[in-house]
Amino acid sequence: MIRYLNPLQWFKWFGQWFIAWFRTIPWKRGSTAIPALGLTIALAILLFVSTGENVSWRNQLIREQLADAFERDDYKTADLLIRRQIEEGDESAETLYRLAVARNQQDETEEARSLMRGLVAQQRDARAARWLLQELYEQKKWADLENEEQREFGQLLRLLSEEVPDDLGIKKAYADYLIRTNRQNQAVPYLVQLASVQPMFGLQAAMISRQAGEDDAATRYAETTLEKIQQLFEEEPASPQLAMANVQALIFLEKHADAVRLLSESIGRMKTKEHQAGLQQAMGDTIVVWINKIESEPNETVEERLRVLKMLQVALQYAPNNPRVLSLVADQVLKTLESDDKELGKIRAALVKGSSPGIANFIRGTAALLKGDAEKAMLHLKLAVEHLPHSPAILNNLAVAIAEKEDGDLEQALQISEQAIESVSTPNAYFFETRGQILTKLGKHLEAIPDLERALAEESLANAAHESLAVCFEALGQEDLAEEHRAAMTEEAETSD
């Protein structure tokens, strides 16, 4: 019995059986079995091919039919073929993307978007993200997007910026998105990358860094930008765009003298009068920026005033009609009216003479107003209005001059004052003070109070505003409030002394 349990004995018996069976095969008539053997082999091969996952003839046939359906814009057939692929287990990103495209072409928009969003969320598919951007956001303005749409828009841009890092258009769009959503610091690395192709993005990165208090980084970005632009400018010295880019970088680095020198040299190199005129206006703007920088530093001396006025003379030579230059000329002339310095007076007179008729008359009229000559002020300010009918400052000062004249038409003054207020989006305290004083003189005390209270915010107007408010409240029987404003007026006077 033991031998029946021995594995070696079993192998021996199986070998004896196989040899006996092999000897029984009629080998002499074996040729008649060849067709059967061939058929068996062929069926085995066919079975392998038909069930092979990677080389399936059926899948190949479906792919060819699918390509043909898309080529013929036969999206219904394409839809059926894709679903057959999915039934057979093909749920690749390519298959699902094609299904979404086919569904969208059949006006099944929501299903298509859902499929694309699934590809983005689950497989980070860049094509699906780009499709969603084009279909949902390409034709929309930022202001029209709801909060949820803005969030999705940003997520799509972020995915594309990571999955397609060489696409500069996507980088720019994502940087813009970050800036719009007050994440400027996060936008800086993208702007720096963009600067390798468009240097001015480096200056934008510098501006953001300066706002964030990172002055060293801001200077580094600006200097790198300036270096790149200067290289380009050497190759194209007659390019107005490159000249302006140079100037902007120099101004950012507070190299104002270099910016003025570059503009002076570049104007003569420009090939057209339009380009020359553009750089001349830029010269005016650059000098205005330079003067504002000078004035931001506490150094109020006659020499500094002379320097500023001489700079304005240069600005007027290049850009006699530049609004920023003319506005600054008026401000600077009015600031120096009380100075007795002869050289300062000469340059002041030359500036007024060199200004446009509207600005010159505005300066003369305002100067007369400050000296208490309402008649002369009204004459020049009316002439100024003829040249600059929509200037809020001129209208406001004309209203003051009319109101201060002994026989002035207060109703006309009120109308002009209201015109001045309506001509600006955010009127300042001076405009409200003018209307408030006119309403007080007209006896419209209740209407005058809100304007006069707004004027209290401006220190130079506070004393006169308190005085008129006291008059208004007294006329309305509010003696306590009137007394408060009289007391405040006394305090203002003592403080100023």
Side-chain angles (χ1 to χ4, degrees):
M1 287 294 294
I2 295 176
R3 63 176 180 168
Y4 294 111
L5 301 175
N6 188 346
L8 295 176
Q9 188 65 38
W10 280 92
F11 278 116
K12 179 182 176 181
W13 289 338
F14 178 76
Q16 291 173 346
W17 172 83
F18 180 77
I19 292 170
W21 171 78
F22 188 75
R23 287 175 179 172
T24 60
I25 294 174
W27 294 106
K28 293 181 180 181
R29 292 182 293 144
S31 58
T32 58
I34 290 175
L37 289 171
L39 180 60
T40 301
I41 293 169
L43 288 174
I45 293 171
L46 185 61
L47 179 64
F48 174 78
V49 171
S50 64
T51 57
E53 189 172 335
N54 297 322
V55 291
S56 169
W57 65 271
R58 184 195 291 182
N59 287 345
Q60 182 61 32
L61 180 60
I62 290 175
R63 282 194 289 270
E64 291 173 0
Q65 291 175 335
L66 185 57
D68 182 60
F70 270 106
E71 190 174 340
R72 291 183 290 105
D73 294 337
D74 184 0
Y75 295 105
K76 287 186 178 180
T77 301
D79 192 321
L80 290 171
L81 291 168
I82 294 168
R83 292 187 185 280
R84 187 174 297 172
Q85 284 182 316
I86 293 172
E87 287 173 4
E88 294 184 2
D90 183 2
E91 294 187 7
S92 64
E94 174 70 23
T95 301
L96 294 174
Y97 178 82
R98 287 191 169 193
L99 177 61
V101 171
R103 297 305 289 164
N104 186 61
Q105 292 295 333
Q106 295 174 80
D107 295 327
E108 297 294 339
T109 308
E110 289 305 318
E111 184 182 351
R113 291 176 181 176
S114 177
L115 285 165
M116 291 295 188
R117 285 187 173 115
L119 282 171
V120 169
Q122 297 167 19
Q123 302 192 40
R124 294 179 60 81
D125 190 276
R127 288 178 309 167
R130 198 181 293 275
W131 185 93
L132 287 168
L133 279 177
Q134 291 172 347
E135 291 292 322
L136 298 179
Y137 302 111
E138 194 172 58
Q139 303 301 323
K140 286 186 178 181
K141 295 180 179 178
W142 175 259
D144 297 333
L145 298 179
E146 300 292 336
N147 290 337
E148 184 61 28
E149 290 177 318
Q150 291 179 2
R151 186 184 65 79
E152 182 182 49
F153 180 62
Q155 289 175 341
L156 293 172
L157 287 173
R158 180 177 179 179
L159 184 147
L160 283 170
S161 69
E162 293 171 354
E163 297 297 320
V164 194
D166 295 331
D167 192 323
L168 296 179
I170 290 296
K171 283 190 184 299
K172 181 181 182 304
Y174 188 46
D176 289 341
Y177 167 80
L178 291 170
I179 292 169
R180 286 179 182 276
T181 52
N182 297 318
R183 287 179 278 175
Q184 288 88 344
N185 289 346
Q186 295 180 35
V188 169
Y190 295 97
L191 293 171
V192 171
Q193 291 175 39
L194 289 166
S196 62
V197 179
Q198 299 179 34
M200 289 306 288
F201 282 114
L203 191 59
Q204 189 177 359
M207 292 176 182
I208 292 172
S209 297
R210 178 173 287 178
Q211 289 171 358
E214 298 175 3
D215 292 336
D216 291 342
T219 301
R220 186 170 65 255
Y221 295 144
E223 287 176 344
T224 302
T225 300
L226 179 60
E227 185 180 344
K228 290 178 180 177
I229 294 171
Q230 285 176 336
Q231 290 173 357
L232 294 171
F233 193 45
E234 287 175 4
E235 298 171 8
E236 296 182 63
S239 167
Q241 293 82 9
L242 289 173
M244 283 302 305
N246 257 300
V247 168
Q248 290 172 19
L250 287 167
I251 290 174
F252 182 86
L253 292 166
E254 298 183 355
K255 297 180 179 180
H256 302 97
D258 291 341
V260 168
R261 193 179 305 110
L262 186 143
L263 282 169
S264 178
E265 294 169 355
S266 299
I267 288 170
R269 289 201 294 259
M270 294 300 107
K271 296 178 180 178
T272 67
K273 290 183 178 180
E274 290 78 8
H275 291 163
Q276 287 180 348
L279 292 191
Q280 286 170 340
Q281 290 296 315
M283 176 70 89
D285 290 333
T286 301
I287 292 174
V288 168
V289 172
W290 192 0
I291 290 173
N292 289 335
K293 175 62 180 174
I294 291 170
E295 297 216 312
S296 69
E297 299 166 355
N299 189 21
E300 191 71 25
T301 62
V302 173
E303 290 75 17
E304 202 63 51
R305 292 287 107 223
L306 279 169
R307 181 190 177 197
V308 166
L309 292 181
K310 287 176 180 177
M311 288 170 69
L312 281 173
Q313 278 187 307
V314 175
L316 280 173
Q317 290 171 9
Y318 281 99
N321 297 314
N322 186 308
R324 295 181 69 191
V325 172
L326 294 174
S327 177
L328 192 57
V329 166
D331 289 344
Q332 293 299 325
V333 168
L334 293 173
K335 277 183 181 180
T336 60
L337 278 176
E338 297 179 2
S339 173
D340 296 328
D341 186 272
K342 290 183 180 180
E343 190 175 357
L344 206 59
K346 269 187 190 178
I347 298 176
R348 184 172 61 226
L351 283 172
V352 174
K353 190 176 179 181
S355 302
S356 67
I359 293 295
N361 279 298
F362 169 62
I363 294 170
R364 295 186 183 110
T366 304
L369 195 60
L370 292 172
K371 292 177 180 178
D373 190 343
E375 188 78 38
K376 185 178 179 181
M378 202 166 76
L379 170 65
H380 285 294
L381 289 167
K382 280 184 176 179
L383 289 171
V385 167
E386 291 295 321
H387 292 283
L388 300 167
H390 304 296
S391 170
I394 295 174
L395 291 169
N396 182 71
N397 287 9
L398 177 58
V400 173
I402 294 171
E404 289 190 357
K405 196 167 176 283
E406 285 187 13
D407 57 345
D409 185 342
L410 292 175
E411 289 293 344
Q412 183 190 19
L414 178 61
Q415 184 180 358
I416 293 171
S417 173
E418 288 178 340
Q419 187 181 345
I421 290 172
E422 289 169 3
S423 65
V424 289
S425 56
T426 54
N428 60 38
Y430 290 91
F431 290 9
F432 289 119
E433 194 265 350
T434 298
R435 186 171 67 179
Q437 296 292 0
I438 295 169
L439 288 168
T440 303
K441 290 181 178 181
L442 284 167
K444 299 180 179 181
H445 302 104
L446 189 60
E447 295 177 42
I449 289 172
D451 283 342
L452 294 168
E453 287 178 335
R454 290 189 184 103
L456 293 173
E458 179 59 45
E459 188 178 349
S460 62
L461 302 174
N463 197 47
H466 279 304
E467 184 178 4
S468 295
L469 282 166
V471 171
C472 291
F473 282 115
E474 186 175 16
L476 294 169
Q478 301 291 321
E479 189 59 40
D480 292 344
L481 290 174
E483 188 58 39
E484 283 182 17
H485 283 287
R486 278 192 284 269
M489 185 175 62
T490 304
E491 288 176 10
E492 291 283 346
E494 290 174 355
T495 304
S496 60
D497 290 342

